[in-house]
Amino acid sequence: MKQCRPMIIILFLVGISFGFACTDTGKDAPGTDPFDNEVQSDADADSDTDSDSDSDSDTDSDTDTDSDTDTDSDTDSDSDTDSDSDTDSDSDTDTDSDTDSDSDTDTDSDTDTDSDTDTDSDSDSDSDSDTDTDTDADSDTDSDTDSDTDADADTDADSDTDADSDADTDSDSDMTGMERTAAELAASMYAGWNVGNSLEVPDGETAWGNPLVSQSLIDAVNDAGFNTIRIPCAWDSHIVNNQIDPAWLARVKEVIDYCYNNDMYVIINIHWDGGWLENNPTYAQQNAVNAKQEAYWLQIANYFADYDEHLLFAGANEVNINWAAPTAENLEVLESYLQTFVDAVRSTGGKNTYRTLIVQSYSCSGEYAQSMNLPYDPTSGRLMAEVHSYEPYQFGQMTEDASWGNMFYFWGADYHQYDTTGGTRTATWGEEAYMDTYYHDLKTKFVDSGVPVILGEYGAIHRANLGDMQSNFEASRGYYYEYVTKVAKDNGVVPIVWDNGYNGENGFAIFDRNSGTVVDSTVLNGIMNGAAAGQYPF
């Protein structure tokens, strides 16, 4: 480069003379920037052969869309370039630099979002020049660029990008530990179990005959293959001075922590709770119930605000009036209760902005779920629907014959042959084909639209004293659990079996609540076989 200086001086002087005679009207002329930049420049030329070029450039821009800025720097002299970029939107920062002299380039980039920022600049200087450039444009990108060109091309580029841009959330939201959507969480829920008839008992956790839930019980459930626990909860019966008793909140927390110690997923809800919500989907009670629903969920959500995505909230349980078909009024009022639930939880911000929330169909019926309207959720992809199934009723829950029908002892086509009563104890509906359609319809209604479904309760009561039919009844019941578990998972429905802790006639117990011992291995094996065979569609 030094051997060419005489020729460079001549060309430079000719260029200056030519510059006085010509005006550049090309796309790079000042004032023609596509972002309406304002440019001010001052230039001093000196024919000194040992020339230095200093360039200072400050650029502030706000852009409401993505912006592309290309910077290629060709420098025929030595240059020192410092570039600082601070971006408060989506930005990727790309810096291309070509230097025909010695150059060291250090680039530090911290980017939280996506944008393309390319900076193109060509500089060719053998004179002293000072250039100040101010550029204003509308953009989501605020950047300040300072560039000094001297000798030795030493380029340091520091880019810091901070972005808080989620159209669905508040500014105080916290996604730490809450990254997965409802579908992603559901895909991780292998099989679930209810700790029923415990924390939802209005008169206290042990009032219905079960002992206090213990860490050893939850450990045993987890060891058996379950990784999801549903904890039905009462709240209205634990009110002190219009607030949920802190001691009760602490007890619920303790049981949740038992599950967290096993890295399990946990669902807490407002269960029957004396019926204040569940039995009042009416206009007459709507305002009073919504006020209480909001107050309780604000307290619950705030108390458990620091728990990660393993904790899910469910807004209600089996809302109904005497198990009759719902009226338009019943459906409308239930929808308001669920909307209040979602609004209350989301309003607390933080991790609750992203927490997966579960909403219920009327009476948690799969049939009524087909006409269900989901509440509005400002956070997309974080809702699940919930249904329950003990169908067919004569096999799942019926405890004595009635004038309209008998109890079923045998479910599944292969088990009809074992009915020694001439067919009076064989299921006449609700078998394999029914289940296939039932769960496929749930998939079509919810799962195909990105909303997983929780089968929050399912099961069939244990029956005893069936004589020569007992063993085949047990086998048929095990097959029922296996089939339902598999077909549910195949259709994007998370199976969470009901266990009320009672190991006797008409009971649902799988585990002894005191020891954690398995008391119904036939049912447990059926569930685990079905869970292994079933494949979620997400």
Side-chain angles (χ1 to χ4, degrees), residues 193-201 203-214 217 232 251 498-504 507-516 519:
W193 178 81
N194 274 274
V195 56
N197 286 17
S198 288
L199 279 79
E200 81 272 33
V201 180
D203 297 326
E205 187 176 348
T206 61
W208 289 354
N210 284 317
L212 293 173
V213 177
S214 65
L217 172 63
R251 173 55 183 159
W498 181 251
D499 184 329
N500 63 1
Y502 178 58
N503 179 31
F508 286 92
I510 301 173
F511 299 92
D512 183 288
R513 292 289 180 90
N514 289 291
S515 66
V519 295

Side-chain angles (χ1 to χ4, degrees), residues 22-282:
C22 301
T23 301
D24 184 1
T25 60
K27 66 181 180 180
D28 293 327
T32 63
D33 187 278
F35 294 102
D36 297 325
N37 294 331
E38 296 177 359
V39 178
Q40 296 175 345
S41 66
D42 296 316
D44 294 327
D46 189 22
S47 62
D48 190 345
T49 60
D50 294 322
S51 60
D52 294 322
S53 173
D54 297 323
S55 170
D56 295 322
S57 175
D58 294 321
T59 302
D60 294 328
S61 64
D62 288 329
T63 305
D64 294 327
T65 58
D66 292 337
S67 68
D68 290 341
T69 309
D70 289 330
T71 300
D72 294 322
S73 94
D74 294 325
T75 307
D76 292 329
S77 64
D78 298 320
S79 65
D80 183 20
T81 304
D82 295 317
S83 175
D84 295 321
S85 168
D86 202 310
T87 305
D88 292 323
S89 69
D90 292 345
S91 80
D92 287 327
T93 304
D94 296 321
T95 304
D96 296 324
S97 156
D98 293 324
T99 305
D100 294 330
S101 61
D102 295 331
S103 69
D104 294 319
T105 303
D106 297 318
T107 302
D108 296 322
S109 174
D110 186 359
T111 303
D112 294 329
T113 52
D114 293 331
S115 105
D116 288 331
T117 304
D118 296 301
T119 307
D120 285 341
S121 74
D122 290 333
S123 68
D124 201 16
S125 63
D126 287 303
S127 63
D128 293 328
S129 65
D130 295 322
T131 302
D132 295 324
T133 303
D134 295 322
T135 303
D136 295 321
D138 289 338
S139 112
D140 279 339
T141 304
D142 296 333
S143 64
D144 294 327
T145 304
D146 296 319
S147 146
D148 296 317
T149 305
D150 280 313
D152 288 345
D154 192 3
T155 304
D156 296 317
D158 295 322
S159 173
D160 293 322
T161 302
D162 296 317
D164 293 319
S165 72
D166 192 326
D168 296 331
T169 60
D170 296 328
S171 60
D172 64 346
S173 61
D174 179 6
M175 191 180 270
T176 307
M178 309 297 290
E179 292 82 4
R180 288 182 292 175
T181 65
E184 291 169 331
L185 288 179
S188 299
M189 295 178 176
Y190 185 73
W193 178 81
N194 274 274
V195 56
N197 286 17
S198 288
L199 279 79
E200 81 272 33
V201 180
D203 297 326
E205 187 176 348
T206 61
W208 289 354
N210 284 317
L212 293 173
V213 177
S214 65
Q215 181 70 71
S216 61
L217 172 63
I218 301 302
D219 292 347
V221 172
N222 183 240
D223 290 343
F226 296 98
N227 75 339
T228 302
I229 300 280
R230 179 174 179 258
I231 307 174
C233 293
W235 304 99
D236 195 57
S237 51
H238 298 278
I239 297 300
V240 176
N241 296 325
N242 297 318
Q243 298 289 314
I244 300 173
D245 186 354
W248 180 244
L249 284 164
R251 173 55 183 159
V252 175
K253 178 182 184 300
E254 186 175 27
V255 177
I256 291 173
D257 290 344
Y258 295 158
C259 303
Y260 262 66
N261 291 340
N262 286 288
D263 196 30
M264 303 175 83
Y265 297 93
V266 188
I267 298 169
I268 61 172
N269 72 348
I270 289 179
H271 209 69
W272 174 65
D273 205 12
W276 65 268
L277 184 153
E278 185 157 311
N279 301 136
N280 286 299
T282 65

Side-chain angles (χ1 to χ4, degrees), residues 270 276-277 280 282 285-302 313-316 319 331-349 352 357-360 372-378 383:
I270 289 179
W276 65 268
L277 184 153
N280 286 299
T282 65
Q285 297 297 321
Q286 185 174 14
N287 290 339
V289 171
N290 268 322
K292 188 177 287 189
Q293 172 86 322
E294 179 183 34
Y296 290 172
W297 277 114
L298 285 173
Q299 292 174 65
I300 297 165
N302 278 313
F313 296 156
V319 176
L331 296 175
E332 179 184 339
V333 173
L334 172 58
E335 288 173 8
S336 78
Y337 295 164
L338 297 175
Q339 188 65 63
T340 296
F341 158 63
V342 172
D343 291 347
V345 174
R346 295 290 183 239
S347 72
T348 62
N352 288 328
L357 305 180
I358 304 170
V359 293
Q360 295 67 36
M372 178 182 180
N373 296 316
L374 293 174
Y376 167 72
D377 187 0
L383 285 183

